[in-house]
Amino acid sequence: EDFKIFLIDYNNIEIKLTPLYKSLFFLFLRHPEGIVFKELSDYTNELLAIYRKLSPSRDYTLLIESVHRIANPLDNSINEKCARIREAFVSQISETLAEPYCIKGRSGERKRIHLNRSMIIDEGNIL
């Protein structure tokens, strides 16, 4: 209910992410078909809704700016965020074990998290 990410199969290790990174991770979990980075602006409202639930900040303008920066195809923010999400998993489990949790895909194609969705328990009803 507090939107924490635990890896039950790995001794309940918690993956700690900022609310913005966690929001992006949850957005990609919601879309197993993947999302093309250049089309992230189509998901702005959905990402903002997730971020509003997770963020302790009530500064709506700041939340909007952060989401728009991620969705801007001319900004490298999305790549930076994906790299940080990957680092959070790799720092807790091996790189090989972290692979299914990472947002990845070929350049210009849909990026996705390849985690089997049957392994997800969503107690916070965010997905």
Side-chain angles (χ1 to χ4, degrees), residues 26-110:
F26 289 157
L27 176 71
F28 276 84
L29 281 178
R30 282 182 168 186
H31 294 278
E33 73 283 1
I35 300 171
V36 178
F37 282 177
K38 288 182 181 178
E39 298 173 0
L40 265 170
S41 61
D42 296 344
Y43 299 87
T44 301
N45 290 337
E46 185 176 358
L47 180 57
L48 184 58
I50 297 168
Y51 191 27
R52 286 184 74 186
K53 284 184 181 180
L54 274 60
S55 179
S57 174
R58 295 296 164 229
D59 185 345
Y60 191 62
T61 304
L62 184 62
L63 299 178
I64 290 172
E65 287 174 12
S66 297
V67 168
H68 281 289
R69 189 157 177 243
I70 288 174
N72 181 349
L74 302 176
D75 194 317
N76 196 38
S77 180
I78 182 63
N79 292 306
E80 293 168 4
K81 304 293 184 278
C82 290
R84 294 292 169 115
I85 291 168
R86 178 184 188 80
E87 287 173 15
F89 280 93
V90 170
S91 73
Q92 297 296 318
I93 56 179
S94 74
E95 191 161 340
T96 303
L97 295 176
E99 282 300 309
Y101 300 94
C102 298
I103 300 168
K104 58 185 183 173
R106 293 186 179 166
S107 181
E109 294 183 5
R110 292 182 175 275

